[in-house]
mmCIF file with all atom_site columns, all heavy atoms in Angstrom:
data_model
loop_
_atom_site.group_PDB
_atom_site.id
_atom_site.type_symbol
_atom_site.label_atom_id
_atom_site.label_alt_id
_atom_site.label_comp_id
_atom_site.label_asym_id
_atom_site.label_entity_id
_atom_site.label_seq_id
_atom_site.pdbx_PDB_ins_code
_atom_site.Cartn_x
_atom_site.Cartn_y
_atom_site.Cartn_z
_atom_site.occupancy
_atom_site.B_iso_or_equiv
_atom_site.pdbx_formal_charge
_atom_site.auth_seq_id
_atom_site.auth_comp_id
_atom_site.auth_asym_id
_atom_site.auth_atom_id
_atom_site.pdbx_PDB_model_num
ATOM 1   N N   . GLU U 1 122 ? 150.939 119.814 -95.334  1.00 85.00 ? 134 GLU U N   1
ATOM 2   C CA  . GLU U 1 122 ? 149.578 120.297 -95.534  1.00 85.00 ? 134 GLU U CA  1
ATOM 3   C C   . GLU U 1 122 ? 148.730 119.202 -96.176  1.00 85.00 ? 134 GLU U C   1
ATOM 4   O O   . GLU U 1 122 ? 149.196 118.475 -97.046  1.00 85.00 ? 134 GLU U O   1
ATOM 5   C CB  . GLU U 1 122 ? 149.584 121.527 -96.434  1.00 85.00 ? 134 GLU U CB  1
ATOM 6   C CG  . GLU U 1 122 ? 150.270 122.738 -95.835  1.00 85.00 ? 134 GLU U CG  1
ATOM 7   C CD  . GLU U 1 122 ? 150.416 123.850 -96.860  1.00 85.00 ? 134 GLU U CD  1
ATOM 8   O OE1 . GLU U 1 122 ? 151.391 123.792 -97.638  1.00 85.00 ? 134 GLU U OE1 1
ATOM 9   O OE2 . GLU U 1 122 ? 149.577 124.760 -96.881  1.00 85.00 ? 134 GLU U OE2 1
ATOM 10  N N   . ASP U 1 123 ? 147.508 119.098 -95.719  1.00 81.00 ? 135 ASP U N   1
ATOM 11  C CA  . ASP U 1 123 ? 146.555 118.143 -96.294  1.00 81.00 ? 135 ASP U CA  1
ATOM 12  C C   . ASP U 1 123 ? 145.766 118.879 -97.363  1.00 81.00 ? 135 ASP U C   1
ATOM 13  O O   . ASP U 1 123 ? 144.803 119.592 -97.073  1.00 81.00 ? 135 ASP U O   1
ATOM 14  C CB  . ASP U 1 123 ? 145.629 117.607 -95.202  1.00 81.00 ? 135 ASP U CB  1
ATOM 15  C CG  . ASP U 1 123 ? 144.709 116.513 -95.720  1.00 81.00 ? 135 ASP U CG  1
ATOM 16  O OD1 . ASP U 1 123 ? 144.857 116.113 -96.896  1.00 81.00 ? 135 ASP U OD1 1
ATOM 17  O OD2 . ASP U 1 123 ? 143.847 116.046 -94.953  1.00 81.00 ? 135 ASP U OD2 1
ATOM 18  N N   . ILE U 1 124 ? 146.211 118.736 -98.622  1.00 76.00 ? 136 ILE U N   1
ATOM 19  C CA  . ILE U 1 124 ? 145.587 119.432 -99.743  1.00 76.00 ? 136 ILE U CA  1
ATOM 20  C C   . ILE U 1 124 ? 144.658 118.455 -100.459 1.00 76.00 ? 136 ILE U C   1
ATOM 21  O O   . ILE U 1 124 ? 145.072 117.366 -100.848 1.00 76.00 ? 136 ILE U O   1
ATOM 22  C CB  . ILE U 1 124 ? 146.643 119.972 -100.730 1.00 76.00 ? 136 ILE U CB  1
ATOM 23  C CG1 . ILE U 1 124 ? 147.670 120.834 -99.977  1.00 76.00 ? 136 ILE U CG1 1
ATOM 24  C CG2 . ILE U 1 124 ? 145.977 120.768 -101.838 1.00 76.00 ? 136 ILE U CG2 1
ATOM 25  C CD1 . ILE U 1 124 ? 147.086 122.035 -99.285  1.00 76.00 ? 136 ILE U CD1 1
ATOM 26  N N   . ARG U 1 125 ? 143.426 118.854 -100.628 1.00 72.00 ? 137 ARG U N   1
ATOM 27  C CA  . ARG U 1 125 ? 142.444 117.992 -101.277 1.00 72.00 ? 137 ARG U CA  1
ATOM 28  C C   . ARG U 1 125 ? 141.822 118.711 -102.470 1.00 72.00 ? 137 ARG U C   1
ATOM 29  O O   . ARG U 1 125 ? 141.940 119.920 -102.605 1.00 72.00 ? 137 ARG U O   1
ATOM 30  C CB  . ARG U 1 125 ? 141.360 117.572 -100.285 1.00 72.00 ? 137 ARG U CB  1
ATOM 31  C CG  . ARG U 1 125 ? 141.933 116.862 -99.055  1.00 72.00 ? 137 ARG U CG  1
ATOM 32  C CD  . ARG U 1 125 ? 140.869 116.406 -98.108  1.00 72.00 ? 137 ARG U CD  1
ATOM 33  N NE  . ARG U 1 125 ? 141.448 115.833 -96.897  1.00 72.00 ? 137 ARG U NE  1
ATOM 34  C CZ  . ARG U 1 125 ? 140.718 115.316 -95.908  1.00 72.00 ? 137 ARG U CZ  1
ATOM 35  N NH1 . ARG U 1 125 ? 139.390 115.300 -96.005  1.00 72.00 ? 137 ARG U NH1 1
ATOM 36  N NH2 . ARG U 1 125 ? 141.314 114.828 -94.841  1.00 72.00 ? 137 ARG U NH2 1
ATOM 37  N N   . LYS U 1 126 ? 141.169 117.949 -103.318 1.00 66.00 ? 138 LYS U N   1
ATOM 38  C CA  . LYS U 1 126 ? 140.536 118.502 -104.509 1.00 66.00 ? 138 LYS U CA  1
ATOM 39  C C   . LYS U 1 126 ? 139.028 118.315 -104.418 1.00 66.00 ? 138 LYS U C   1
ATOM 40  O O   . LYS U 1 126 ? 138.549 117.260 -104.006 1.00 66.00 ? 138 LYS U O   1
ATOM 41  C CB  . LYS U 1 126 ? 141.058 117.809 -105.773 1.00 66.00 ? 138 LYS U CB  1
ATOM 42  C CG  . LYS U 1 126 ? 142.535 118.088 -106.063 1.00 66.00 ? 138 LYS U CG  1
ATOM 43  C CD  . LYS U 1 126 ? 142.950 117.429 -107.354 1.00 66.00 ? 138 LYS U CD  1
ATOM 44  C CE  . LYS U 1 126 ? 144.414 117.737 -107.676 1.00 66.00 ? 138 LYS U CE  1
ATOM 45  N NZ  . LYS U 1 126 ? 144.837 117.120 -108.959 1.00 66.00 ? 138 LYS U NZ  1
ATOM 46  N N   . ILE U 1 127 ? 138.312 119.359 -104.799 1.00 61.00 ? 139 ILE U N   1
ATOM 47  C CA  . ILE U 1 127 ? 136.869 119.272 -104.868 1.00 61.00 ? 139 ILE U CA  1
ATOM 48  C C   . ILE U 1 127 ? 136.435 119.715 -106.249 1.00 61.00 ? 139 ILE U C   1
ATOM 49  O O   . ILE U 1 127 ? 137.103 120.511 -106.904 1.00 61.00 ? 139 ILE U O   1
ATOM 50  C CB  . ILE U 1 127 ? 136.184 120.152 -103.793 1.00 61.00 ? 139 ILE U CB  1
ATOM 51  C CG1 . ILE U 1 127 ? 136.536 121.630 -104.021 1.00 61.00 ? 139 ILE U CG1 1
ATOM 52  C CG2 . ILE U 1 127 ? 136.568 119.712 -102.408 1.00 61.00 ? 139 ILE U CG2 1
ATOM 53  C CD1 . ILE U 1 127 ? 135.749 122.565 -103.143 1.00 61.00 ? 139 ILE U CD1 1
ATOM 54  N N   . GLU U 1 128 ? 135.311 119.206 -106.687 1.00 55.00 ? 140 GLU U N   1
ATOM 55  C CA  . GLU U 1 128 ? 134.791 119.553 -108.011 1.00 55.00 ? 140 GLU U CA  1
ATOM 56  C C   . GLU U 1 128 ? 134.010 120.863 -107.894 1.00 55.00 ? 140 GLU U C   1
ATOM 57  O O   . GLU U 1 128 ? 132.810 120.873 -107.624 1.00 55.00 ? 140 GLU U O   1
ATOM 58  C CB  . GLU U 1 128 ? 133.898 118.440 -108.544 1.00 55.00 ? 140 GLU U CB  1
ATOM 59  C CG  . GLU U 1 128 ? 134.617 117.124 -108.762 1.00 55.00 ? 140 GLU U CG  1
ATOM 60  C CD  . GLU U 1 128 ? 135.626 117.199 -109.913 1.00 55.00 ? 140 GLU U CD  1
ATOM 61  O OE1 . GLU U 1 128 ? 135.460 118.086 -110.766 1.00 55.00 ? 140 GLU U OE1 1
ATOM 62  O OE2 . GLU U 1 128 ? 136.558 116.385 -109.946 1.00 55.00 ? 140 GLU U OE2 1
ATOM 63  N N   . SER U 1 129 ? 134.705 121.983 -108.086 1.00 52.00 ? 141 SER U N   1
ATOM 64  C CA  . SER U 1 129 ? 134.036 123.273 -107.947 1.00 52.00 ? 141 SER U CA  1
ATOM 65  C C   . SER U 1 129 ? 134.098 124.117 -109.211 1.00 52.00 ? 141 SER U C   1
ATOM 66  O O   . SER U 1 129 ? 133.527 125.190 -109.253 1.00 52.00 ? 141 SER U O   1
ATOM 67  C CB  . SER U 1 129 ? 134.671 124.065 -106.802 1.00 52.00 ? 141 SER U CB  1
ATOM 68  O OG  . SER U 1 129 ? 136.016 124.365 -107.096 1.00 52.00 ? 141 SER U OG  1
ATOM 69  N N   . GLY U 1 130 ? 134.798 123.663 -110.219 1.00 50.00 ? 142 GLY U N   1
ATOM 70  C CA  . GLY U 1 130 ? 134.925 124.436 -111.446 1.00 50.00 ? 142 GLY U CA  1
ATOM 71  C C   . GLY U 1 130 ? 134.664 123.583 -112.658 1.00 50.00 ? 142 GLY U C   1
ATOM 72  O O   . GLY U 1 130 ? 134.651 122.351 -112.596 1.00 50.00 ? 142 GLY U O   1
ATOM 73  N N   . ARG U 1 131 ? 134.467 124.236 -113.791 1.00 53.00 ? 143 ARG U N   1
ATOM 74  C CA  . ARG U 1 131 ? 134.183 123.491 -115.015 1.00 53.00 ? 143 ARG U CA  1
ATOM 75  C C   . ARG U 1 131 ? 135.451 122.921 -115.637 1.00 53.00 ? 143 ARG U C   1
ATOM 76  O O   . ARG U 1 131 ? 135.415 121.970 -116.388 1.00 53.00 ? 143 ARG U O   1
ATOM 77  C CB  . ARG U 1 131 ? 133.489 124.404 -116.020 1.00 53.00 ? 143 ARG U CB  1
ATOM 78  C CG  . ARG U 1 131 ? 132.056 124.720 -115.663 1.00 53.00 ? 143 ARG U CG  1
ATOM 79  C CD  . ARG U 1 131 ? 131.428 125.591 -116.707 1.00 53.00 ? 143 ARG U CD  1
ATOM 80  N NE  . ARG U 1 131 ? 132.056 126.894 -116.786 1.00 53.00 ? 143 ARG U NE  1
ATOM 81  C CZ  . ARG U 1 131 ? 131.779 127.791 -117.723 1.00 53.00 ? 143 ARG U CZ  1
ATOM 82  N NH1 . ARG U 1 131 ? 130.897 127.501 -118.666 1.00 53.00 ? 143 ARG U NH1 1
ATOM 83  N NH2 . ARG U 1 131 ? 132.371 128.962 -117.721 1.00 53.00 ? 143 ARG U NH2 1
ATOM 84  N N   . TRP U 1 132 ? 136.612 123.555 -115.329 1.00 52.00 ? 144 TRP U N   1
ATOM 85  C CA  . TRP U 1 132 ? 137.827 123.143 -116.034 1.00 52.00 ? 144 TRP U CA  1
ATOM 86  C C   . TRP U 1 132 ? 138.662 122.166 -115.216 1.00 52.00 ? 144 TRP U C   1
ATOM 87  O O   . TRP U 1 132 ? 139.085 121.133 -115.697 1.00 52.00 ? 144 TRP U O   1
ATOM 88  C CB  . TRP U 1 132 ? 138.677 124.372 -116.371 1.00 52.00 ? 144 TRP U CB  1
ATOM 89  C CG  . TRP U 1 132 ? 137.876 125.521 -116.878 1.00 52.00 ? 144 TRP U CG  1
ATOM 90  C CD1 . TRP U 1 132 ? 137.883 126.799 -116.413 1.00 52.00 ? 144 TRP U CD1 1
ATOM 91  C CD2 . TRP U 1 132 ? 136.931 125.517 -117.946 1.00 52.00 ? 144 TRP U CD2 1
ATOM 92  N NE1 . TRP U 1 132 ? 137.015 127.575 -117.113 1.00 52.00 ? 144 TRP U NE1 1
ATOM 93  C CE2 . TRP U 1 132 ? 136.420 126.816 -118.068 1.00 52.00 ? 144 TRP U CE2 1
ATOM 94  C CE3 . TRP U 1 132 ? 136.481 124.527 -118.817 1.00 52.00 ? 144 TRP U CE3 1
ATOM 95  C CZ2 . TRP U 1 132 ? 135.478 127.155 -119.019 1.00 52.00 ? 144 TRP U CZ2 1
ATOM 96  C CZ3 . TRP U 1 132 ? 135.531 124.869 -119.754 1.00 52.00 ? 144 TRP U CZ3 1
ATOM 97  C CH2 . TRP U 1 132 ? 135.042 126.164 -119.861 1.00 52.00 ? 144 TRP U CH2 1
ATOM 98  N N   . LYS U 1 133 ? 138.901 122.497 -113.953 1.00 55.00 ? 145 LYS U N   1
ATOM 99  C CA  . LYS U 1 133 ? 139.749 121.644 -113.124 1.00 55.00 ? 145 LYS U CA  1
ATOM 100 C C   . LYS U 1 133 ? 139.187 121.600 -111.708 1.00 55.00 ? 145 LYS U C   1
ATOM 101 O O   . LYS U 1 133 ? 138.528 122.539 -111.264 1.00 55.00 ? 145 LYS U O   1
ATOM 102 C CB  . LYS U 1 133 ? 141.187 122.190 -113.070 1.00 55.00 ? 145 LYS U CB  1
ATOM 103 C CG  . LYS U 1 133 ? 141.961 122.075 -114.363 1.00 55.00 ? 145 LYS U CG  1
ATOM 104 C CD  . LYS U 1 133 ? 143.382 122.582 -114.157 1.00 55.00 ? 145 LYS U CD  1
ATOM 105 C CE  . LYS U 1 133 ? 144.197 122.466 -115.435 1.00 55.00 ? 145 LYS U CE  1
ATOM 106 N NZ  . LYS U 1 133 ? 145.569 122.975 -115.255 1.00 55.00 ? 145 LYS U NZ  1
ATOM 107 N N   . PRO U 1 134 ? 139.466 120.510 -110.942 1.00 60.00 ? 146 PRO U N   1
ATOM 108 C CA  . PRO U 1 134 ? 139.060 120.487 -109.538 1.00 60.00 ? 146 PRO U CA  1
ATOM 109 C C   . PRO U 1 134 ? 139.786 121.585 -108.756 1.00 60.00 ? 146 PRO U C   1
ATOM 110 O O   . PRO U 1 134 ? 140.921 121.940 -109.065 1.00 60.00 ? 146 PRO U O   1
ATOM 111 C CB  . PRO U 1 134 ? 139.491 119.090 -109.071 1.00 60.00 ? 146 PRO U CB  1
ATOM 112 C CG  . PRO U 1 134 ? 139.654 118.296 -110.317 1.00 60.00 ? 146 PRO U CG  1
ATOM 113 C CD  . PRO U 1 134 ? 140.086 119.260 -111.375 1.00 60.00 ? 146 PRO U CD  1
ATOM 114 N N   . GLU U 1 135 ? 139.131 122.104 -107.729 1.00 65.00 ? 147 GLU U N   1
ATOM 115 C CA  . GLU U 1 135 ? 139.717 123.150 -106.899 1.00 65.00 ? 147 GLU U CA  1
ATOM 116 C C   . GLU U 1 135 ? 140.578 122.519 -105.812 1.00 65.00 ? 147 GLU U C   1
ATOM 117 O O   . GLU U 1 135 ? 140.191 121.536 -105.178 1.00 65.00 ? 147 GLU U O   1
ATOM 118 C CB  . GLU U 1 135 ? 138.607 123.983 -106.260 1.00 65.00 ? 147 GLU U CB  1
ATOM 119 C CG  . GLU U 1 135 ? 139.089 125.257 -105.591 1.00 65.00 ? 147 GLU U CG  1
ATOM 120 C CD  . GLU U 1 135 ? 139.417 126.337 -106.608 1.00 65.00 ? 147 GLU U CD  1
ATOM 121 O OE1 . GLU U 1 135 ? 138.643 126.520 -107.552 1.00 65.00 ? 147 GLU U OE1 1
ATOM 122 O OE2 . GLU U 1 135 ? 140.462 126.970 -106.438 1.00 65.00 ? 147 GLU U OE2 1
ATOM 123 N N   . ARG U 1 136 ? 141.766 123.049 -105.586 1.00 69.00 ? 148 ARG U N   1
ATOM 124 C CA  . ARG U 1 136 ? 142.654 122.578 -104.523 1.00 69.00 ? 148 ARG U CA  1
ATOM 125 C C   . ARG U 1 136 ? 142.388 123.403 -103.270 1.00 69.00 ? 148 ARG U C   1
ATOM 126 O O   . ARG U 1 136 ? 142.463 124.622 -103.296 1.00 69.00 ? 148 ARG U O   1
ATOM 127 C CB  . ARG U 1 136 ? 144.112 122.695 -104.951 1.00 69.00 ? 148 ARG U CB  1
ATOM 128 C CG  . ARG U 1 136 ? 144.453 121.836 -106.146 1.00 69.00 ? 148 ARG U CG  1
ATOM 129 C CD  . ARG U 1 136 ? 145.871 122.051 -106.623 1.00 69.00 ? 148 ARG U CD  1
ATOM 130 N NE  . ARG U 1 136 ? 146.858 121.576 -105.672 1.00 69.00 ? 148 ARG U NE  1
ATOM 131 C CZ  . ARG U 1 136 ? 147.661 122.357 -104.975 1.00 69.00 ? 148 ARG U CZ  1
ATOM 132 N NH1 . ARG U 1 136 ? 147.593 123.673 -105.091 1.00 69.00 ? 148 ARG U NH1 1
ATOM 133 N NH2 . ARG U 1 136 ? 148.541 121.848 -104.138 1.00 69.00 ? 148 ARG U NH2 1
#
Side-chain angles (χ1 to χ4, degrees):
E134 294 172 277
D135 185 5
I136 306 299
R137 303 182 185 182
K138 293 183 178 181
I139 62 172
E140 297 292 338
S141 64
R143 287 181 295 173
W144 317 127
K145 290 183 179 179
E147 191 76 44
R148 297 175 68 249

